[in-house]
Amino acid sequence: MRKSSPDAHQTPTIQVIERMFSLVDVLASREEAMSLKDISEQTGLHPSTAHRILNDLTVGRFVDRPEAGTYRLGMRLLELGNLVKGRLNVRDAALEPMRELHKLIQQPVNLSVRQGDEIVYVERAYSERSGMQVVRAIGGRAPLHLTSTGKLFLAADEPQRVRAYATRTGLAGHTRNSITQLPALERELARARQSGVARDDEELETGVRCMAAGIHDDQGHLVAGLSISAPADRLDESWLPKLQQTARQISAALGHEQAER
């Protein structure tokens, strides 16, 4: 007996999936419900074919039928979208781009998030050859106003929230370069707000300078900061575009769409 080719079974299945995607794309292009006639015309599918696939999608709640003969995207897609969004983890998205950036500059690359009045280091790409002692380990904390990433978060706050932060913390310093006065901090934050980049000029640790760029989620919210740490005399301004590009890459992986600056 002649054996059938595997493609004989696969092709119809693939064709149905392609048609299903086509239907979903057409429904996604319109806010209001669409008639079967319009859907058929826009997809190029025969009405009976479109009707059969739409009915299957309706059973799975991928498509809703608000009135007889009309269709729109269903709530199941929203549920799945929220599930995917909830599983997007900034650390997972950042890890490989951070490693690639470290390969280029051979200095520590840090990922930090905000928790209250501090940043927390959640990931780091570094090597012993960087020539700088790694003081802040993963899980370590530092005040917002003394760190490049912390300044990004403060720059995203309303002025009254920055003043409240200053009152709560007293803007305590760690080194002679630490910013401990509110007017100076506000000027620093204005610069960060304008450029999208923040810096730490030996304000947290003597002999260490940092630069940071923000990572944003699909809603445009600042969710983390990506920073480069280096010995004070080795921080290279040519790293800045690479840092910003890497932060944009991670943001894009989280669903952020950024207009060209």
Side-chain angles (χ1 to χ4, degrees), residues 89-91 93-95 97-98 111 215-216 226 245-256:
N89 182 293
V90 66
R91 181 186 173 277
L95 195 52
M98 287 174 66
L111 180 70
I215 295 171
H216 298 80
L226 190 70
Q245 176 57 36
T246 304
R248 285 193 293 267
Q249 180 184 350
I250 299 167
S251 297
L254 298 177
H256 180 59

Side-chain angles (χ1 to χ4, degrees), residues 69-236:
T70 65
Y71 301 87
R72 66 186 179 195
L73 293 183
M75 292 299 293
R76 181 61 178 156
L77 289 171
L78 177 63
E79 293 169 2
L80 292 174
N82 285 334
L83 184 63
V84 171
K85 179 183 174 183
R87 289 177 177 175
L88 286 175
N89 182 293
V90 66
R91 181 186 173 277
D92 292 342
L95 195 52
E96 192 55 38
M98 287 174 66
R99 288 171 176 163
E100 291 301 316
L101 179 58
H102 172 67
K103 287 179 185 177
L104 289 174
I105 65 172
Q106 291 299 307
Q107 295 295 335
V109 178
N110 316 292
L111 180 70
S112 311
V113 299
R114 180 177 185 171
Q115 286 191 359
D117 291 341
E118 298 176 310
I119 63 160
V120 179
Y121 296 86
V122 294
E123 192 52 77
R124 168 171 275 130
Y126 72 98
S127 62
E128 297 302 328
R129 292 176 299 172
S130 65
M132 185 185 75
Q133 183 181 5
V134 179
V135 178
R136 302 283 161 177
I138 295 172
R141 296 172 176 268
L144 295 175
H145 68 287
L146 299 182
T147 61
S148 53
T149 291
K151 290 174 186 176
L152 289 176
F153 280 103
L154 287 174
D157 277 349
E158 297 294 326
Q160 60 269 28
R161 295 189 64 185
V162 175
R163 290 192 291 269
Y165 167 84
T167 300
R168 282 195 307 273
T169 63
L171 297 181
H174 283 202
T175 74
R176 65 181 183 181
N177 282 10
S178 298
I179 296 176
T180 58
Q181 299 298 318
L182 180 58
L185 178 61
E186 289 174 330
R187 289 192 295 272
E188 182 85 351
L189 298 182
R191 285 191 288 270
R193 207 173 289 119
Q194 183 175 17
S195 65
V197 176
R199 300 171 186 274
D200 158 16
D201 185 16
E202 299 185 74
E203 297 162 52
L204 181 65
E205 299 170 18
T206 300
V208 178
R209 295 171 62 209
C210 305
M211 56 174 67
I215 295 171
H216 298 80
D217 65 10
D218 63 323
Q219 300 298 309
H221 299 142
L222 180 66
V223 293
L226 190 70
S227 65
I228 297 172
S229 306
D233 59 351
R234 272 195 239 164
L235 192 73
D236 191 334

Side-chain angles (χ1 to χ4, degrees), residues 48-68:
S48 63
T49 301
H51 182 262
R52 183 178 67 253
I53 298 173
L54 286 167
N55 279 349
D56 289 341
L57 290 170
T58 300
V59 171
R61 295 193 302 119
F62 293 97
V63 169
D64 286 340
R65 189 163 42 204
E67 297 177 5

